[in-house]
């Protein structure tokens, strides 16, 4: 994780996005309109940070939607207005590079399914450090705490944990990356951040 987050690539930005998303989900619920729209800008910008984070952003956006105290029409307005800046950046990026996705996503064939290779990738990434033990203990502890309490208090934690698990499932489905563990870091960080 240290090598990938200090190498000048997007690793540190991805971890900051996960941390900011966790903060928004835990401390969200503000009825101040500009803050709600900035939260949507953050949650929808996952695609801009790194294309494989789009699924995490979608799960986090569903969690944000469910945790809002506003009326449905106000949430829709916040979602539309908060998504406009991210859509504008994406359109500018698509026009400049003449591609829907960044070129690394095209070169690495991020839509081709290679589950056997992906599971091997995840196992090799976490085995030397016992990472999967921490992930399993975190999920088990969160499940135990949620069962002991009412369903409400654990909701933000479950949202970010689910987002991390969805990201890890995507990484396994596409076969990982040529850099050992790089694509698993945001998902593991999201799960353990609970």
């Amino acid at each position: 994780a240290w090598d990938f987050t200090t190498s000048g690539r997007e690793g540190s930005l991805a971890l900051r996005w996960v941390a900011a998303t966790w903060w928004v989900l835990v401390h969200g619920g503000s009825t101040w309109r500009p803050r709600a729209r900035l939260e949507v800008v953050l949650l929808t910008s996952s695609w801009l940070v790194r294309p494989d984070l789009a699924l995490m952003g979608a799960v986090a956006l569903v969690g944000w939607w469910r945790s809002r105290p506003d009326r449905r029409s106000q949430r829709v307005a916040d979602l539309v207005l908060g998504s406009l800046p991210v859509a504008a950046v994406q359109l500018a990026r698509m026009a400049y590079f003449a591609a829907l996705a960044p070129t690394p996503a095209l070169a690495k064939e991020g839509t081709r399914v290679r589950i056997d290779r992906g599971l091997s990738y995840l196992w090799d990434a976490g085995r030397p450090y016992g990472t999967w033990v921490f992930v399993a203990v975190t999920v088990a502890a969160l499940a135990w705490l949620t069962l002991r309490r009412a369903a409400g208090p654990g909701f933000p934690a479950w949202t970010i944990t689910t987002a991390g698990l969805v990201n890890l499932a995507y990484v396994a489905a596409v076969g990982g990356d040529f850099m050992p563990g790089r694509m698993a870091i945001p998902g593991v960080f999201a799960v353990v951040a609970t």
Side-chain angles (χ1 to χ4, degrees), residues 146-189:
T146 302
L147 291 174
R148 288 195 63 209
R149 297 181 189 164
F155 180 72
W158 269 117
T159 301
I160 197 67
T161 300
T162 303
L165 292 173
V166 165
N167 179 262
L168 291 172
Y170 171 77
V171 170
V174 298
D177 191 26
F178 66 95
M179 298 172 128
R182 183 180 77 93
M183 288 183 70
I185 293 171
V188 170
F189 182 64

Side-chain angles (χ1 to χ4, degrees), residues 108-190:
K108 295 177 185 174
E109 300 174 339
T111 57
R112 195 166 157 206
V113 178
R114 299 181 202 144
I115 294 176
D116 56 333
R117 184 174 168 201
L119 291 174
S120 175
Y121 173 83
L122 288 178
W123 179 252
D124 288 343
R127 183 178 39 96
Y129 311 105
T131 303
W132 305 123
V133 173
F134 290 114
V135 169
V137 167
T138 301
V139 171
L142 186 57
W144 183 72
L145 290 173
T146 302
L147 291 174
R148 288 195 63 209
R149 297 181 189 164
F155 180 72
W158 269 117
T159 301
I160 197 67
T161 300
T162 303
L165 292 173
V166 165
N167 179 262
L168 291 172
Y170 171 77
V171 170
V174 298
D177 191 26
F178 66 95
M179 298 172 128
R182 183 180 77 93
M183 288 183 70
I185 293 171
V188 170
F189 182 64

Side-chain angles (χ1 to χ4, degrees), residues 6-193:
T6 59
S7 66
R9 297 178 58 89
E10 78 290 337
S12 59
L13 182 61
L15 291 181
R16 288 172 198 232
W17 180 85
V18 171
T21 298
W22 178 87
W23 189 88
V24 162
L25 292 172
V26 170
H27 297 289
S30 171
T31 56
W32 188 49
R33 298 279 52 90
R35 177 178 167 179
R37 292 175 185 154
L38 284 173
E39 290 173 353
V40 173
V41 169
L42 170 76
L43 297 175
T44 56
S45 67
S46 61
W47 169 261
L48 300 177
V49 173
R50 206 161 88 182
D52 61 292
L53 295 180
L55 291 173
M56 282 183 80
V59 171
L61 201 56
V62 168
W64 175 88
W65 178 274
R66 290 191 56 207
S67 68
R68 299 294 304 160
D70 308 323
R71 294 184 327 263
R72 181 181 300 249
S73 61
Q74 191 60 53
R75 285 183 281 175
V76 169
D78 290 340
L79 187 62
V80 169
L81 292 173
S83 298
L84 289 177
V86 175
V89 169
Q90 178 61 20
L91 287 173
R93 204 164 77 168
M94 287 169 30
Y96 184 78
F97 292 108
L100 178 63
T103 45
L106 300 173
K108 295 177 185 174
E109 300 174 339
T111 57
R112 195 166 157 206
V113 178
R114 299 181 202 144
I115 294 176
D116 56 333
R117 184 174 168 201
L119 291 174
S120 175
Y121 173 83
L122 288 178
W123 179 252
D124 288 343
R127 183 178 39 96
Y129 311 105
T131 303
W132 305 123
V133 173
F134 290 114
V135 169
V137 167
T138 301
V139 171
L142 186 57
W144 183 72
L145 290 173
T146 302
L147 291 174
R148 288 195 63 209
R149 297 181 189 164
F155 180 72
W158 269 117
T159 301
I160 197 67
T161 300
T162 303
L165 292 173
V166 165
N167 179 262
L168 291 172
Y170 171 77
V171 170
V174 298
D177 191 26
F178 66 95
M179 298 172 128
R182 183 180 77 93
M183 288 183 70
I185 293 171
V188 170
F189 182 64
V191 171
V192 179

